[in-house]
Amino acid sequence: MDAPALGDPARIGDWLNSLSVAGRLGLNGRVNTQVLLGQEVLISGHRGEWSRVEVPEQRGSKYPNGIIGWVPSDQLSSAPPAKGDGEAIIGVPSTWLYTVIRGRVGPRRYTVSYDTELPVEGTAPGYLLLGLPGRQEGAVADSALDPVPVGTLSGAAIASQAKQFLELPYLWAGTSGFGYDCSGLVYALYARFGLYLPRDAADQQHAGTPVPLDELAPGDLLFFAGSGGRGPAEHVAIYVGGGRMIDAPYTGKRVELVPMTSLPVWPDFVGATRIATRA
């Protein structure tokens, strides 16, 4: 059942569309995280058709140098994208990547995720031409791209970006626009602005400044621990104002906008954190 996700290219959308809720539940505890197209990994070993890698941009107390896991070797390249004229970042949940043939945009190749950042190599009417790993080239429609933000980050921007993922199915260990878990959504939203938080909720809780409930502002993070709010944080949601939050709850549910005190886990609330923003 996992074959679509294990090839080159990885057909993540096809894979997830084919999985039942039971199939998605089978990922729990088996998948550590997702890595986006163009994201650097460090290879530390091989076994058969798999490579053991470390993801430097996804860190935490358990993995201080980056989450460690196994990926299909066919999905790795030792040749990074060629340097281009600036960078572009995917600003929609997912979009088509097209082939480029002698500088012209050709057929669709595969879909790429929100937060994928690649160098710009040129333009075509309605498209940007982007450098890919392996010194390849692809094209993405202008409408799916944002300029890489420099020096601008606000809680309101985080809350606004989060709203485009409403109704997206939850995915254990997900960090892409194909599906998120709770901390993966938070991680991706801040990474979109160049701020790489720890990957997991327990560490994200300590990545900013505690905020009292009566001083909450959009973009603040709400944390929930074990039964009765004991122990380290196990879940995180994003406050968006008006007493509401955006939450990626659990397998079988979708990203939702709800009153923050309406969740069954509200008795497990352990605090709110504000991440430092910049203007």
Side-chain angles (χ1 to χ4, degrees):
M1 70 173 67
D2 296 327
L6 302 181
D8 177 26
R11 295 183 290 112
I12 301 298
D14 292 343
W15 171 57
L16 292 175
N17 289 336
S18 72
L19 292 182
S20 64
V21 172
R24 285 174 176 252
L25 283 169
L27 302 173
N28 291 14
R30 288 185 169 139
V31 181
N32 273 355
T33 193
Q34 287 182 311
V35 184
L36 302 184
L37 177 69
Q39 193 170 26
E40 181 185 56
V41 300
L42 304 177
I43 299 173
S44 60
H46 302 280
R47 183 182 298 165
E49 298 178 349
W50 294 80
S51 294
R52 186 175 186 266
V53 302
E54 185 176 81
V55 189
E57 289 181 354
Q58 298 187 27
R59 303 187 182 200
S61 56
K62 185 176 180 181
Y63 297 104
N65 297 316
I67 289 182
I68 295 171
W70 293 84
V71 298
S73 298
D74 286 347
Q75 295 180 359
L76 299 174
S77 172
S78 60
K83 292 184 178 179
D85 184 18
E87 304 276 325
I89 192 166
I90 304 298
V92 296
S94 62
T95 191
W96 282 104
L97 180 81
Y98 294 82
T99 57
V100 176
I101 304 170
R102 292 186 293 277
R104 301 183 65 179
V105 177
R108 292 171 172 175
R109 294 184 65 185
Y110 49 85
T111 49
V112 291
S113 166
Y114 176 84
D115 214 26
T116 298
E117 185 176 335
L118 295 166
V120 177
E121 294 194 345
T123 62
Y127 298 87
L128 279 185
L129 309 184
L130 305 176
L132 307 178
R135 302 293 179 174
Q136 300 181 50
E137 194 174 39
V140 172
D142 287 342
S143 57
L145 291 163
D146 287 332
V148 175
V150 177
T152 57
L153 172 61
S154 68
I158 294 295
S160 175
Q161 290 282 311
K163 291 176 182 177
Q164 68 180 310
F165 298 106
L166 292 175
E167 297 301 315
L168 183 73
Y170 175 97
L171 177 64
W172 172 275
T175 61
S176 74
F178 302 107
Y180 291 106
D181 64 14
C182 63
S183 58
L185 177 58
V186 168
Y187 171 85
L189 291 170
Y190 277 89
R192 158 73 178 76
F193 293 91
L195 181 57
Y196 291 90
L197 300 184
R199 171 62 181 84
D200 294 324
D203 294 316
Q204 290 173 354
Q205 183 180 9
H206 305 293
T209 304
V211 181
L213 280 178
D214 60 0
E215 296 180 14
L216 286 176
D220 290 344
L221 304 180
L222 307 173
F223 291 92
F224 306 85
S227 179
R230 292 185 293 271
E234 298 176 358
H235 189 73
V236 59
I238 302 156
Y239 185 72
V240 295
R244 300 180 301 168
M245 67 183 189
I246 288 179
D247 184 38
Y250 51 82
T251 300
K253 294 277 283 183
R254 296 172 181 267
V255 177
E256 58 187 6
L257 175 63
V258 294
M260 65 183 189
T261 57
S262 69
L263 292 187
V265 295
W266 184 252
D268 303 332
F269 176 74
V270 290
T273 294
R274 178 168 301 157
I275 305 301
T277 58
R278 55 181 185 264

